[in-house]
Amino acid sequence: MAESSEGEEEGKLTGGNQQLVVDDDLREMAKKVAWSVSSCKPGNGVLSLRDDNLDTYWQSDGAQPHLVNIQFQKKVRLQLVVLYVDFKLDESYTPSKISIRAGDGFHNMKEIKAAELVKPTGWVYISLSGSDPRETFVNTFMLQIAVLSNHLNGRDTHVRQIKVYGPRP
């Protein structure tokens, strides 16, 4: 995998990588799944998260937390979430606190990871592994990425791309 974007403190992520680099034993898992967002500005919806274009972005339009929901047709093993965010371009629209939740559906989501982003520009890697070395992935039907707060107390958020990876079968 690419060099770690982990900060000195657990859960703090700084920097970001300009190139998306992922281990060969991982594959992108979220191509043929149901994506939804809690809100969006017209023209800046869920499709902008998946168009492989770093110039477009999802922009929320409402109260925090801002949610991205990813629903799978069957239970999947997930290992890594990668976001492209750009503090230099988006400033107060850039997420600063993120919660990643997993569950069978909206009714039983549980937080599995929390991350604090410190002025990130580029691809930010968030591992879904637990603290136990045997917990290398999460088994789930649904993943939710919640933007809890933005830099400079911004209200709406910009996320340019999201990729979700799991182990190759």
Side-chain angles (χ1 to χ4, degrees), residues 104-123:
D104 294 334
F106 289 102
H107 61 284
N108 71 348
M109 301 300 284
K110 287 190 174 65
E111 181 175 277
I112 55 171
K113 274 293 178 181
E116 190 172 332
L117 309 182
V118 182
K119 297 184 178 180
T121 297
W123 292 101

Side-chain angles (χ1 to χ4, degrees), residues 10 23-24 26 28 43 51 54 69 83 85 96 102 110 117 121 150 158 161 168:
E10 180 63 33
D23 282 345
D24 288 340
L26 295 177
E28 223 278 328
D51 63 3
L54 300 179
N69 303 301
L83 309 172
V85 286
S96 62
K110 287 190 174 65
L117 309 182
T121 297
N150 291 325
H158 286 182
Q161 292 291 298
R168 287 193 186 276

Side-chain angles (χ1 to χ4, degrees), residues 37-48:
V37 291
S38 53
S39 66
C40 65
K41 295 268 190 215
N44 294 95
V46 72
L47 294 177
S48 298

Side-chain angles (χ1 to χ4, degrees), residues 3-167:
E3 58 207 81
S4 173
S5 49
E6 283 281 332
E8 290 163 21
E9 259 180 76
E10 180 63 33
K12 276 198 181 191
L13 303 173
T14 57
N17 293 312
Q18 292 310 302
Q19 297 296 318
L20 177 61
V21 181
V22 178
D23 282 345
D24 288 340
D25 61 347
L26 295 177
R27 67 180 173 133
E28 223 278 328
M29 301 289 290
K31 290 182 179 149
K32 296 179 181 168
V33 301
W35 286 75
S36 62
V37 291
S38 53
S39 66
C40 65
K41 295 268 190 215
N44 294 95
V46 72
L47 294 177
S48 298
L49 289 171
R50 301 293 298 164
D51 63 3
D52 290 322
N53 182 350
L54 300 179
D55 295 326
T56 63
Y57 48 82
W58 161 58
Q59 180 174 337
S60 63
D61 186 20
Q64 288 171 337
H66 306 301
L67 306 175
V68 177
N69 303 301
I70 308 163
Q71 294 173 280
F72 299 89
Q73 292 173 347
K74 60 184 196 258
K75 196 172 246 192
V76 294
R77 294 165 59 180
L78 303 176
Q79 206 166 340
L80 180 68
V81 171
V82 188
L83 309 172
Y84 193 94
V85 286
D86 194 333
F87 181 76
K88 289 178 185 156
L89 288 176
D90 299 328
E91 295 178 339
S92 67
Y93 290 95
T94 308
S96 62
K97 285 196 176 122
I98 289 180
S99 169
I100 298 183
R101 304 160 180 169
D104 294 334
F106 289 102
H107 61 284
N108 71 348
M109 301 300 284
K110 287 190 174 65
E111 181 175 277
I112 55 171
K113 274 293 178 181
E116 190 172 332
L117 309 182
V118 182
K119 297 184 178 180
T121 297
W123 292 101
V124 176
Y125 298 77
I126 303 170
S127 169
L128 301 181
S129 322
S131 49
D132 182 331
R134 294 168 296 195
E135 297 173 5
T136 56
F137 50 82
V138 173
N139 263 322
T140 191
F141 280 102
M142 184 173 174
L143 199 68
Q144 183 178 73
I145 300 165
V147 176
L148 305 178
S149 64
N150 291 325
H151 284 79
L152 309 171
N153 296 318
R155 192 176 85 108
D156 288 329
T157 199
H158 286 182
V159 177
R160 292 176 177 269
Q161 292 291 298
I162 297 177
K163 306 279 184 193
V164 181
Y165 293 92

